[in-house]
Every structure is written in structure tokens, then in C-alpha cells.
Amino acid sequence: MSEADRIAELRALVAYHDERYYGLDDPEISDADYDALVRELHELEARHPELPATDSPTQRPGHAATTAFAPVVHALPMTSLANAMDRSELEAWGDRLVRALGDAPVRFVCELKIDGLAVSIRYERGRYMQAATRGDGQVGEDVTANVATVSAVPAELHRVAGDHPAVLEVRGEIFMPLASFERLNAAAEATGDKRFVNPRNAAAGSLRQKDPAVTARRDLALWAYQLGEVQGGPAFNSHLETLDYLRSLGLPVNPEIRALDSLDDVLAFCAHWQEHRHSVGYEIDGVVVKVDDLAQREQLGFTSRAPRWAIAYKFPPEERTTLLRDIQVS
Ligand code: IVH
């Protein structure tokens, strides 16, 4: 098969699996197998710039919004993240930062990569107004009524130093804690219903319910990790300041977030969480490493798909065979 044919084949395959994962909440292959397809496609596309890529799934993160929920145009795009699959890819990212920023010291903020669904939650004058999924990054789905049922999502933000911002968009991950996931599957088994494959899938299925009363019974949670559009709010110099602000507003911010001053420390953080990934009560699939200084972020900017100032260090896939067999037997 020629490389051009393989590109066409990979584009169709990736689009198919995007739809299974995002559109139908019913993935057919593992995240690792999916990542391998996307990587191969990226590499081949880089070798063949003469082949137009406008309709390639590599040009848009995730899926296009489906018609079941009203579309929401994101005030600021919800981009995806570049991945580092191992130590050397993380080091290569560190080298690119040094080339772009010179000798300036870089502080990194390391966060657990929560395996859930990204949402953008809009508050106006401190009041919950709207929530949307990421969709294709530009247009997501309106899940306002569903996200409103998540107890970790405040209906009203705390007032901090004066008036509430006219607009404040909070970005974060909606997820299903493992205990809730196990309870849900035990209940499904008792009633002879289909089990959910994993907590991410259960969270996605629970969020995209036409009846928010069903979502309300599903015990979803949130970790907030980023600001979207802000109008009339305070100015920040660093990501850590924005996280403190989110916390002071009453939003849940993950307690395991750490600021680290060297890439060696970042690598140690990644290695630690790779080993202890099951010590928290929710699924994580990596570590997100972000440049803390917002002026440095400006300097680094974005590629067409993702910010240059952040990267997702992905944990290697786990041996799931036993787990799957156990599930089928039980
Ligand atoms: S930051 C521009 N932080 O990972 C940066 N994302 O592969 C936006 N995710 O779409 C994302 N935990 O759904 C960020 N602590 C974290 C995260 C996180 C999980 C997800 C998010 C994003 C995807 C990118």
C-alpha cells in the first residue's frame, strides 16, 4: 500500500473511532491503540505536506458536535493537548521551551490528567449560566441542565474582593469517581442492564442524557483546571494564581497539583503518579505539565491544535486482559 493510501485509510479509521468514542460513547479500541493510529497519521502527514489535510481528523480535536444537544460556540476555543508518550518526548518538549524562551527560568505546574470529559462552565456575575462539552473545540454541546445537577458545580460562586466578573468561564473535567462507577455497574448487573466499560464512558453517557434527572442520579464530580473567557475579572500573572482564584470561588481544584522548578522534578512527578495512579479514587491517564508564567505562555502561543505551553505525559497502557476477562465471567 502506498503512503498516500495509508493516509486515506488512517483518516477514515481515526474518524470512525472518534465517532465511537465521542459520538456514541462506545469505544471499540483501547486509548493506546487509538493514540498509535493518530501518531502514525501525524507522521505520514508530516512526510506528505503535498496531500491536502483540511478534512483530516488531525485538524480537529475530538468529534463534531452531534444534533442531540443545542450547539454552543466557545468564546475561546477548547484546544486539545500534545502528548508525550515517554521521558524522551517530555525532554524534547523541554528543549523546545528553552529554544523559545532562552535562559529564562521556567516554573512548571503538574496536574493529574483526569480521564473524564472536558467541559466549559460559564458564570455571569457569579451565577451559573451555561455548560458545554468540548465538541470539536470550536462548537460544543449544550449540557447546561445536566451539569447543573453535579453537586461539585456551584450554582453561585463565592464573592471574592468586590464584584463578581461579568463573565467567567471555568474549564475542567467532569468525571465519575471509581466508587460511583462500581455502584452503577453493580446496579446495572442487578437489573440485567449493560455494564459501562469504564468510568470515562459512564461519565460521558451520564452527562449526555436527554433527561437531567438521570444525570442527577449518577454521582458525577468535577476538577476545575483552567480559565476560559473572563470579562471584568482580576488580572493574573501565573496559572497557580488562577487555580487559587478558582478555589476561592468555591470550585473544586485537585489537591495533588504541584509547582516544580525543573524538568527533572517534573519527570519524577510523572514517574511517581505512573506508579501510584490507582491511589486516588478516580481514573487518571497521565500528567498534564503546564508552564506557570502567563507571560511565557503568551510568548509560546499555540500550534493549530494545541498550546505549546502544555503537554500531556501519557501513562503507558495497562494490562487490561485480566480485568476484561473478569468482567465477562462475572
Ligand atoms: S488542560 C489548553 N488539564 O485532557 C489546555 N486538561 O488531552 C486545556 N484533561 O481536553 C486542557 N486533565 O479533557 C488540562 N489537568 C488537566 C486535565 C486535562 C484532563 C483532559 C482535557 C483535555 C485533554 C487533552
Side-chain angles (χ1 to χ4, degrees), residues 63-78 118-122 124 128-147 169-171 229:
H63 66 123
T66 61
T67 48
F69 294 86
V72 175
V73 178
H74 297 301
L76 293 178
M78 291 183 78
V119 288
S120 186
I121 307 175
R122 189 176 174 93
E124 290 178 10
Y128 177 88
M129 291 301 289
Q130 188 177 58
T133 63
R134 184 173 74 173
D136 66 1
Q138 307 291 333
V139 182
E141 292 173 328
D142 190 330
V143 285
T144 307
N146 308 58
V147 170
E169 265 182 17
V170 180
R171 273 130 191 225
E229 189 192 14

Side-chain angles (χ1 to χ4, degrees), residues 101-113:
L101 300 172
D103 286 337
V106 179
R107 164 168 284 192
F108 301 98
V109 177
C110 293
E111 304 178 2
L112 303 184
K113 186 170 186 302

Side-chain angles (χ1 to χ4, degrees), residues 22 61 77-83 110-119 134 171-173 223-226 239 254 257 285-290 297 302 306-307 309-310 312 314:
Y22 295 107
M78 291 183 78
T79 57
S80 105
L81 291 172
N83 289 336
C110 293
E111 304 178 2
L112 303 184
K113 186 170 186 302
I114 316 299
D115 201 4
L117 283 105
V119 288
R134 184 173 74 173
R171 273 130 191 225
E173 203 83 354
W223 291 125
Y225 48 63
Q226 201 73 41
H239 182 60
N254 191 278
I257 295 175
D285 60 345
V287 170
V288 181
V289 188
K290 302 176 179 177
R297 286 191 182 188
F302 288 77
W309 44 260
K314 298 279 286 261

